[in-house]
């Protein structure tokens, strides 16, 4: 039998909280408005480490994710209204 440490598992967590995503996610996927053709994936290897929320890197990653969300959601909600 294989030990739990040897088993690789993947979990998908959907959240609207940037801080929660940065604290828990080793890979953070930012989705744009539909129709979705591409998504941005941000690597976050420090996720889950003790004390991460108090480190400068946590706040920098939150800023990076926030910028990605703003970029992904920029533009009119109804593109047909653009002339």
């Amino acid at each position: 039998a294989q030990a739990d440490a040897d088993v690789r598992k993947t979990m998908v967590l959907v959240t609207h909280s940037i801080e929660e995503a940065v604290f828990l996610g080793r890979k953070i996927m930012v989705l744009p408005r539909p129709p979705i053709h591409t998504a941005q994936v941000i690597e976050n290897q420090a996720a889950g480490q003790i004390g991460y929320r108090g480190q400068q890197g946590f706040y920098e990653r939150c800023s990076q994710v926030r910028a990605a969300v703003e970029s992904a959601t920029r533009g009119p909600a109804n593109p047909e209204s653009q002339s």
Side-chain angles (χ1 to χ4, degrees):
Q2 215 175 13
D4 283 340
D6 294 335
V7 178
R8 294 180 51 100
K9 296 180 182 178
T10 300
M11 179 179 81
V12 176
L13 170 71
V14 177
T15 182
H16 292 162
S17 168
I18 290 172
E19 291 77 13
E20 182 177 51
V22 171
F23 183 67
L24 296 174
R26 291 200 181 261
K27 291 186 180 188
I28 302 165
M29 181 180 291
V30 178
L31 300 173
R33 293 176 188 245
I36 298 170
H37 299 289
T38 60
Q40 182 176 355
V41 177
I42 298 170
E43 297 289 333
N44 184 35
Q45 294 306 313
Q49 293 180 2
I50 295 173
Y52 183 41
R53 282 190 153 177
Q55 297 175 4
Q56 183 64 29
F58 175 79
Y59 298 103
E60 290 169 357
R61 187 69 70 220
C62 287
S63 292
Q64 180 186 10
V65 172
R66 184 167 282 106
V69 168
E70 289 171 357
S71 175
T73 58
R74 193 173 296 136
N78 183 359
E80 291 149 8
S81 67
Q82 218 175 6
S83 325

